[in-house]
């Protein structure tokens, strides 16, 4: 338990720095660009993140799961790196087609094609799943926190320079691209201290030959991650496609302020998954303790969003964004549910039920997205936030029930002993 809280502490420090600096560059981008241009900027950034999430795999979990075995670290790392390289190649080709078509289904002017394409390519080239897995494997959460902090620090500096010398959408996109590359370089620099691999280690077949269930595991975890991207990033794109750039920008502000708990959930997931793998017998007890921590965090964050959200929006983004407050409160509830879901999803994956979270995410996602046009046309930003809340709620209920079944099996085994 001491290890999990030490690792979680480093991740929370990283997320805390990210959250603080994100407020700085959120204020710089919104106040410099204004509602409409910030909407364009948001759509391009989210498009790049969604594409990177779609083509990438959760290779870091494979590094942790199979790297713990004696002598398997290089094979697991080489497999994850091969996945990352394949993602980069495929993503580079998809970027061209996707950005070329983006102006058709998204409210983006043609002049932003090249900046959008450039950011998509850079974001995909900055995939850092493999070095993340290496640092998790060797429990160097301190180094991972330092590498992770490079992204918000560079973004904040870049946003300040863009506001002074290039106060337009392209200027801020360049700053974001540089930040992605700097963060990836930091992760690779730190991870190279622990696992050194050569070209012969980079293989998509060597690890699966030793462990036939590798591909099932990777596909299950990666599909769940893709769904998380769709329900988060692609929600912004859908809002923009249906409601326009200004509405997309508003949703982004509401999401960034209201769903700060989602970032905490990602930190919790990354910290506890290795411990669930290493301590299989104590995983249920550990999950119960994390659940209590999640409930306490949500009980503080949701009232804070309700009572202090409007003030925070005006102070950071300006009075023209105050219309997003109600959506922000709804998204804070969704964030609290995602915090619980991250804990339960990690337990299910560690228990070799990687496809279960995928199924429990895809069903509510498909059902709710079918009603998105109706919700946005009738309720605008609030309707989009309600859709996100419904997706999170149904997923949380499903995973809660799945975890309950695991706990019933665990208790039955304990009584049998």
């Amino acid at each position: 338990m001491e290890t999990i809280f030490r690792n979680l502490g480093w991740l929370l420090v990283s997320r805390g720095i990210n959250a603080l600096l994100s407020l700085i560059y959120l204020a710089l981008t919104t106040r410099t660009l204004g509602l409409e241009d910030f909407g364009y900027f948001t759509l391009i950034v989210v498009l790049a993140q969604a594409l990177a999430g779609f083509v990438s795999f959760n290779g870091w979990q494979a590094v942790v799961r199979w790297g713990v075995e004696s002598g398997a670290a290089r094979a697991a790392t080489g497999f994850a790196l091969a996945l990352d390289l394949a993602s980069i190649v495929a993503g580079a080709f998809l970027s061209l087609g996707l950005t070329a078509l983006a102006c058709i289904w998204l409210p983006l002017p043609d002049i932003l094609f090249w900046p959008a394409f450039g950011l998509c390519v850079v974001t995909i080239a900055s995939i850092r799943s493999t070095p993340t897995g290496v640092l998790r494997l060797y429990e160097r959460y301190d180094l991972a926190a330092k590498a992770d902090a490079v992204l918000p620090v560079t973004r904040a500096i870049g946003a300040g320079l863009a506001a002074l010398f290039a106060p337009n959408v392209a200027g801020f996109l360049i700053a974001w691209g540089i930040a992605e590359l700097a963060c990836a370089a930091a992760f690779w620099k730190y991870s190279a201290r622990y696992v050194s691999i050569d070209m012969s280690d980079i293989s998509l077949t060597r690890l699966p030959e030793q462990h036939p269930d590798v591909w099932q595991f990777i596909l299950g975890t990666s599909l769940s991650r893709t769904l998380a991207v769709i329900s988060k990033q692609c929600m912004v794109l859908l809002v923009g496609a249906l409601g326009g750039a200004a509405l997309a920008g508003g949703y982004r502000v509401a999401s960034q302020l209201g769903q700060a708990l989602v970032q905490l959930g990602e930190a919790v997931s990354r910290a506890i998954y290795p411990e669930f793998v290493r301590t299989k017998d104590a995983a249920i007890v550990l999950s119960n303790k994390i659940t209590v921590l999640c409930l306490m965090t949500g009980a503080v964050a949701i009232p804070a969003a309700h009572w202090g959200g409007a003030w925070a929006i005006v102070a950071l983004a300006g009075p023209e964004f105050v219309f997003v407050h109600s959506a922000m409160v709804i998204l804070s509830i969704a964030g609290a549910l995602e915090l619980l879901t991250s804990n339960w999803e990690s337990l299910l994956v560690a228990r070799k039920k990687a496809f279960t979270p995928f199924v429990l995410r895809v069903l509510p996602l498909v059902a709710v997205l079918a009603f998105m046009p109706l919700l946005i046309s009738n309720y605008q930003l609030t309707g989009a936030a309600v859709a996100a809340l419904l997706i999170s709620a149904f997923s949380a209920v499903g995973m809660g029930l799945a975890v309950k079944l695991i706990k019933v099996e665990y208790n039955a085994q304990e009584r049998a002993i």
Side-chain angles (χ1 to χ4, degrees), residues 106-329:
L106 286 176
L108 291 174
D110 293 338
I111 195 173
L112 292 176
F113 166 76
W114 287 111
F117 173 67
L119 184 65
C120 285
V121 171
V122 167
T123 303
I124 291 167
S126 303
I127 290 174
R128 40 195 176 269
S129 181
T130 300
T132 298
V134 171
L135 294 177
R136 300 281 184 268
L137 175 64
Y138 289 93
E139 297 189 7
R140 293 311 308 263
Y141 286 75
D142 54 338
L143 296 181
K146 291 178 182 178
D148 223 10
V150 171
L151 182 68
V153 169
T154 311
R155 275 184 182 177
I157 295 172
L161 294 174
L164 290 173
F165 303 107
N168 51 53
V169 175
F172 282 97
L173 291 177
I174 291 172
W176 257 240
I178 293 173
E180 290 287 345
L181 292 173
C183 184
F187 267 99
W188 282 108
K189 175 185 175 182
Y190 290 134
S191 66
R193 301 177 184 178
Y194 298 94
V195 177
S196 59
I197 59 175
D198 52 39
M199 293 297 295
S200 62
D201 294 316
I202 304 174
S203 172
L204 290 173
T205 59
R206 182 171 303 170
L207 188 66
E209 288 174 354
Q210 301 170 1
H211 303 278
D213 60 336
V214 166
W215 282 112
Q216 180 181 358
F217 175 84
I218 286 295
L219 290 176
T221 56
S222 299
L223 286 173
S224 294
R225 183 177 184 274
T226 299
L227 285 174
V229 168
I230 292 174
S231 61
K232 184 180 178 183
Q233 266 83 330
C234 290
M235 182 69 75
V236 182
L237 298 177
L238 191 56
V239 171
L242 296 173
L247 201 66
Y251 185 89
R252 181 68 166 181
V253 171
S255 177
Q256 192 160 344
L257 293 176
Q259 285 197 297
L261 280 176
V262 174
Q263 292 190 3
L264 178 61
E266 292 173 355
V268 170
S269 176
R270 291 183 179 184
I272 62 180
Y273 173 72
E275 298 306 316
F276 284 162
V277 173
R278 292 189 180 95
T279 59
K280 294 182 175 62
D281 294 336
I284 300 294
V285 176
L286 178 58
S287 177
N288 290 337
K289 293 180 179 180
I290 297 296
T291 297
V292 174
L293 178 63
C294 293
L295 291 173
M296 293 172 60
T297 305
V300 172
I302 295 171
H306 176 71
W307 296 108
W311 174 86
I313 292 168
V314 173
L316 293 171
E320 63 181 330
F321 285 89
V322 75
F323 72 96
V324 310
H325 179 231
S326 60
M328 174 187 170
V329 176

